[in-house]
Amino acid sequence: MKSLVVSGIQPSGTIHIGNYLGMIKQAVDLQDSGGYSCLYFIVDLHSLTSKYDPKKKPGDIIGIATDLLAAGIDPEKSPLFIQSHVLEHANLAWIFNTITSMGQLERMVEYKEKIASGQTPNAGLFDYPVLMAADILLYKGQKVPVGEDQRQHLELARDIARSFNKRFGETFPEPGGVYTKAPRVMSLTDPDKKMSKSMPAGCLYLSDSPKKIKQKIGAAVTDSQKKIGYDPENRPGISNLINIYAGFSGSAPESVAKQFADASYKDFKTAASDLVAEKLKGIQERREKFGRNKKEVIRILEEGANAVRPIAQKTLAEVKEKIGLI
Ligand code: ADP
Ligand code: TRP
């Protein structure tokens, strides 16, 4: 039997190339490799843990589904669905809450960072990683394409699988992350920080026009050295552009650095802008097509939920029996 790949993405804000290279491209490549069964979902319940406008939420959900389809998620191969349409996610999360300690959650860096950045924590934000563990284990997922920033959450999912198995008998595989060569895309304007929807200035969006791409990459912060070189520790700006080039071209960052060793920063930036614009062109064209057909996107999401629901129901029934519920 093929290993099962699962991943989720939040419906919040516009997708940037960090989301794309860190998670979406990986999800598409795993699907297209033919070696795995894949299922992907939009984690609308997770997205309720940050401040949001209920009027905008439906559009955000359809928007991200459209982005995923445009980026190459093929519903014929991989069910694509909305997390809250399969009720078992929240149900399993509750059960996992009872085998997760406060201490395990208090250690979560993403939670601590969100509080440090001024977000008032709700109980859902604290519990966020438990719901993520439920998302994965509900399908007995084995591989999870995510960005580097999700590594700690994935470790928690493994811990939860292990403690459940130990206490109630072998039930869940321990899921592993699948990370890209360029796992963390940094902000174009502040390359010491990761590119994030919360800092729009440093983001390059999947929807950006070739002109915008040229402008943003052209203005990206680099350094005052003369020669292009790959050294993420000491030269984060130029190394980030090399990583972006590598991510879109499929070559290793070191070989990109070698290829452009004698080029000027300006020429390299032009080459990088052209490459990114060319790779995004197909996605943007498909986005436009799906964007005009909202009904079809909704149909795909409903069909996806219908396809996976029986698996979710089976796992939850097994779990309930093992933990002693009738
Ligand atoms: P953001 O931080 O922009 O709000 P999300 O938290 O919604 O992004 O992340 C969605 C997916 O994209 C996750 O799998 C995450 O690991 C990945 N991701 C987000 N930002 C980056 C980045 N700068 N580089 C690589 N992957 C990223
Ligand atoms: N926490 C992930 C993020 O911020 C989103 C997510 C929720 C997820 N559930 C998941 C990712 C399950 C992979 C698998 O990006």
Side-chain angles (χ1 to χ4, degrees):
M1 224 170 59
K2 290 180 182 176
S3 303
L4 182 65
V5 172
V6 303
S7 194
I9 187 160
Q10 292 204 50
S12 45
T14 318
I15 298 287
H16 53 71
I17 60 166
N19 304 134
Y20 178 69
L21 293 177
M23 183 257 168
I24 300 173
K25 183 169 183 296
Q26 296 258 84
V28 173
D29 290 348
L30 286 165
Q31 161 195 280
D32 290 346
S33 76
Y36 304 94
S37 302
C38 304
L39 48 93
Y40 299 119
F41 37 86
I42 294 154
V43 293
D44 55 344
L45 295 174
H46 278 103
S47 77
L48 305 181
T49 61
S50 300
K51 222 171 147 201
Y52 70 97
D53 177 353
K55 285 198 213 72
K56 289 215 184 101
K57 192 54 84 185
D60 284 347
I61 294 169
I62 297 300
I64 188 99
T66 311
D67 284 331
L68 292 171
L69 293 167
I73 299 293
D74 177 356
E76 297 287 322
K77 296 184 192 157
S78 325
L80 174 68
F81 61 97
I82 299 175
Q83 179 193 40
S84 71
H85 288 190
V86 181
L87 301 177
E88 287 75 12
H89 286 248
N91 203 324
L92 185 61
W94 178 260
I95 294 169
F96 284 167
N97 274 333
T98 66
I99 60 164
T100 306
S101 71
M102 295 289 285
Q104 279 173 297
L105 295 180
E106 278 159 0
R107 281 196 288 278
M108 292 294 128
V109 173
E110 190 169 293
Y111 174 72
K112 289 195 276 198
E113 278 176 1
K114 283 198 172 148
I115 299 185
S117 74
Q119 191 169 334
T120 315
N122 53 60
L125 188 69
F126 186 62
D127 200 36
Y128 180 111
V130 177
L131 179 58
M132 177 163 161
D135 291 340
I136 299 166
L137 298 177
L138 188 56
Y139 304 99
K140 305 197 178 182
Q142 289 148 295
K143 293 197 176 298
V144 187
V146 273
E148 173 72 28
D149 57 345
Q150 296 298 310
R151 196 180 278 273
Q152 197 188 23
H153 287 165
L154 215 55
E155 259 157 38
L156 181 79
R158 266 203 298 283
D159 288 343
I160 291 177
R162 209 174 306 126
S163 12
F164 188 98
N165 291 345
K166 196 162 160 230
R167 181 149 170 220
F168 303 108
E170 200 56 34
T171 310
F172 297 113
E174 288 179 30
V178 184
Y179 306 99
T180 35
K181 292 194 207 99
R184 196 172 278 232
V185 178
M186 308 308 280
S187 158
L188 295 180
T189 50
D190 186 356
D192 288 322
K193 302 211 172 78
K194 79 161 199 159
M195 186 178 287
S196 172
K197 289 172 211 133
S198 53
M199 288 200 313
C203 286
L204 192 60
Y205 296 108
L206 281 200
S207 55
D208 281 344
S209 65
K211 195 170 149 211
K212 259 260 150 66
I213 295 170
K214 209 164 219 137
Q215 265 170 13
K216 287 186 177 177
I217 292 186
V221 171
T222 50
D223 53 44
S224 52
Q225 297 196 33
K226 295 253 150 34
K227 254 176 109 58
I228 286 170
Y230 187 64
D231 179 0
E233 275 290 302
N234 302 306
R235 301 177 65 187
I238 188 70
S239 301
N240 186 39
L241 292 182
I242 293 173
N243 271 335
I244 291 171
Y245 192 99
F248 279 101
S249 67
S251 15
E254 292 78 8
S255 56
V256 174
K258 226 183 244 158
Q259 185 187 337
F260 288 96
D262 296 321
S264 66
Y265 278 26
K266 186 162 171 282
D267 288 346
F268 175 58
K269 282 179 163 181
T270 305
S273 309
D274 290 346
L275 175 71
V276 175
E278 180 207 317
K279 296 283 175 182
L280 294 188
K281 190 168 169 247
I283 298 179
Q284 292 173 353
E285 283 168 2
R286 283 193 298 275
R287 177 125 198 0
E288 194 136 297
K289 191 185 109 217
F290 280 113
R292 281 195 299 266
N293 200 346
K294 192 172 141 188
K295 268 209 186 110
E296 170 65 3
V297 175
I298 292 172
R299 187 195 63 78
I300 289 171
L301 293 169
E302 279 171 358
E303 227 167 57
N306 291 340
V308 302
R309 203 172 282 114
I311 315 173
Q313 287 170 340
K314 187 161 172 245
T315 306
L316 190 67
E318 181 188 355
V319 164
K320 284 177 77 174
E321 192 193 324
K322 285 193 169 152
I323 64 175
L325 298 186
I326 54 171

